[in-house]
Amino acid sequence: MRYSAAALLRNAIGGQRHWRPAWRFPRPRTRYDVVIVGGGGHGLATAYYLAKRHGIRDVAVIDKGPIGLGNTGRNTTVVRSNYLLDPSAALYEHALKLWEGLSQELNFNLMFSQRGVVALAFTRHELTEMERRVGALKLNGIDSEMLTLDELRRRVPLLNLSRELRYPVLGAMVQPRGGNARHDALAWGYARAADALGVDIIQSCPVSAIRVERGRAVGVETAQGCIEAGRVAVVAAGHVTTLMETAGVHLPIQSYPLQAMVSEPLKPMLDTVIMSGLVHCYVSQSDKGELVLGAARDSYVSYAQRGSAHINAATIAALLELFPVLSRVRLLRQWAGIVDVTPDLSPIIGPTEVRELYVNCGWGTGGFKATPGSGWVFAHTIATGAAHALNAPFGLERFARGALIDESAAAGVSH
Ligand code: FAD
Ligand code: PYC
């Protein structure tokens, strides 16, 4: 859908009364080939790739609210692929490569900005871990470099590199192709493209249960009645465990609040993403000028989309330790999302013990960056009934086999 300048002007002065919605608002039909529960980025991307790559268009994406208002619309938009272990590096790099052409593919400006992601090291241990990770990334053909303090000073002039700090910065690693994107544009771009291929997007329709008959998923119970399905795919992030329990599938996941905040808009001052594990805070500057920041998840399991005050205070203290120049800046707002955390901090993507029931979850604090890759491999799995090579290591059965993919050192957020 393209708008001419004249149409834009007409809509601007006409109160947007003639603006066409970017996707339809259909009533749910009684049956679909595939029902996807969860209209976040991952669910919408899955629907798009099912229709686009596999020709499966009899698909509904059902969300309990408006699409994209879960973690997709609450996250701090860091995109990178600098994970240590081969399976994760391959999966996240596949996603990053898709990001690089996604605005063009969806004909939707995702404001994807490859401004680089810099992670700071404050201890010898952190430095050694980063050196090891950079080496592993290079072996996997993924861009990544160590930065000296001089290089860091030139790149981030306002960063406090004083030796007098509680924990002086010792060095850093950078992924130049990493960066940020506009979070809700990702949901909207996939929604519009999926809708155009015939996918029904059903909003404000909570799913209360998955219907299982003789060991096979046959549909879902929703606020708008039962919907039959040939296949059911659940992509519900922090709410996945309760939903999957209705089908008798127990997931090794705990749900925690993860909070973030933004400052008032400032003149351009930071043209990269800074991540910092020990003095714990990460920060980037949005195109509007706001600083977007966050840090640790809450330490207790909860569904309260607030986040606790001490995490907030510690995040701000860490930010000011890194950037004392910001001490008089005001915060604009704060919020939280509910993240789904697995024991090895890696996602679960694949079939379940219930036939025709698929799950994609466990992205925890780091799934935004993976959205295109996740949707791509999940669509393959649903379409073919078997995992793609990229998501085969991420099956639910890895927890029974002990084949964990421990990415705790590469997580952006402490756990
Ligand atoms: P969601 O976007 O949460 O979508 C799930 C959808 O399921 C929701 O829309 C919800 O309404 C729906 N749903 C749930 N239950 C039901 C039901 N019963 N019936 C119908 N619908 C249902 N990741 C990064 O890579 N980089 C970051 O910088 C980053 N920062 C983050 C900062 C914060 C504060 C948070 C909270 C998360 C952050 N993440 C980050 C993680 C990232 O946001 C998530 O991993 C990712 O967005 C998950 O996408 P999703 O589509 O699986 O989930
Ligand atoms: O996974 O890179 C990440 C991240 C940054 C902030 C929250 N998660």
Side-chain angles (χ1 to χ4, degrees):
M1 197 182 305
R2 291 176 199 277
Y3 291 102
S4 66
L8 279 175
L9 184 64
R10 199 170 48 247
N11 278 305
I13 54 182
Q16 301 175 357
R17 268 172 309 170
H18 308 294
W19 206 290
R20 272 178 295 151
W23 53 87
R24 296 163 297 125
F25 292 81
R27 288 190 58 73
R29 298 205 306 271
T30 52
R31 187 185 188 284
Y32 291 90
D33 189 358
V34 180
V35 163
I36 297 171
V37 184
H42 289 239
L44 293 162
T46 304
Y48 170 72
Y49 291 116
L50 269 175
K52 180 82 181 175
R53 297 197 67 245
H54 302 281
I56 300 176
R57 298 179 174 203
D58 184 20
V59 176
V61 178
I62 306 180
D63 202 286
K64 65 179 177 183
I67 56 166
L69 285 195
N71 292 343
T72 298
R74 292 164 183 271
N75 86 94
T76 46
T77 79
V78 179
V79 176
R80 57 189 175 89
S81 63
N82 52 5
Y83 283 74
L84 173 68
L85 302 170
D86 292 350
S88 336
L91 182 59
Y92 289 98
E93 177 62 11
H94 178 59
L96 183 51
K97 290 207 169 103
L98 289 172
W99 270 110
E100 289 174 330
L102 205 53
S103 290
Q104 288 78 7
E105 170 157 2
L106 300 179
N107 183 28
F108 204 108
N109 185 3
L110 305 177
M111 298 168 77
F112 180 47
S113 156
Q114 291 180 291
R115 59 185 68 181
V117 174
V118 175
L120 307 176
F122 298 87
T123 64
R124 187 62 232 165
H125 172 79
E126 276 186 301
L127 213 45
T128 307
E129 184 281 325
M130 283 181 189
E131 280 160 357
R132 178 179 177 223
R133 188 141 51 103
V134 166
L137 285 161
K138 285 192 168 154
L139 287 175
N140 275 316
I142 297 174
D143 61 316
S144 202
E145 298 292 337
M146 294 303 293
L147 291 179
T148 64
L149 287 181
D150 280 342
E151 288 165 334
L152 192 55
R153 190 172 289 112
R154 280 197 294 277
R155 204 180 171 103
V156 195
L158 293 177
L159 183 63
N160 187 0
L161 292 177
S162 159
R163 303 296 304 162
E164 307 306 316
L165 272 181
R166 187 170 56 124
Y167 293 107
V169 179
L170 299 185
M173 67 182 274
V174 61
Q175 181 174 26
R177 286 164 59 244
N180 295 111
R182 170 91 194 264
H183 46 11
D184 25 37
L186 183 69
W188 299 337
Y190 273 126
R192 189 180 70 170
D195 173 273
L197 292 169
V199 170
D200 277 1
I201 297 171
I202 317 286
Q203 303 182 79
S204 302
C205 182
V207 172
S208 52
I210 298 158
R211 291 181 54 207
V212 178
E213 286 174 10
R214 290 185 292 283
R216 178 192 170 118
V218 293
V220 291
E221 288 169 24
T222 82
Q224 298 185 37
C226 290
I227 302 174
E228 290 173 27
R231 289 161 268 190
V232 176
V234 179
V235 204
H239 297 85
V240 68
T241 47
T242 46
L243 207 48
M244 292 297 284
E245 290 286 352
T246 67
V249 177
H250 181 68
L251 295 172
I253 281 192
Q254 291 190 308
S255 295
Y256 297 91
L258 174 67
Q259 61 177 295
M261 53 207 105
V262 291
S263 74
E264 61 186 333
L266 305 173
K267 291 256 166 60
M269 56 151 287
L270 182 63
D271 62 0
T272 191
V273 182
I274 294 291
M275 306 191 65
S276 156
L278 184 72
V279 177
H280 191 28
C281 176
Y282 58 86
V283 58
S284 62
Q285 188 168 24
S286 77
D287 294 353
K288 278 192 286 184
E290 300 164 346
L291 295 176
V292 182
L293 57 140
R297 66 157 171 77
D298 276 16
S299 41
Y300 55 87
V301 170
S302 166
Y303 288 103
Q305 289 195 141
R306 283 191 301 274
S308 43
H310 71 278
I311 301 276
N312 193 273
T315 305
I316 295 164
L319 178 75
L320 296 188
E321 200 165 334
L322 298 175
F323 293 97
V325 69
L326 298 174
S327 64
R328 295 169 71 92
V329 171
R330 285 167 296 189
L331 278 186
L332 211 61
R333 59 183 186 277
Q334 175 272 358
W335 67 91
I338 305 303
V339 295
D340 42 342
V341 178
T342 59
D344 58 359
L345 306 190
S346 286
I348 299 168
I349 320 165
T352 67
E353 67 254 34
V354 176
R355 290 195 315 286
E356 305 305 348
L357 176 60
Y358 299 85
V359 72
N360 183 346
C361 62
W363 293 97
T365 63
F368 176 70
K369 64 176 84 63
T371 307
S374 158
W376 197 96
V377 297
F378 198 39
H380 174 100
T381 305
I382 297 164
T384 63
H388 186 274
L390 284 168
N391 66 308
F394 294 92
L396 184 52
E397 72 291 343
R398 78 175 183 273
F399 298 100
R401 288 191 289 115
L404 302 191
I405 305 168
D406 185 343
E407 285 291 358
S408 36
V413 162
S414 75
H415 287 73

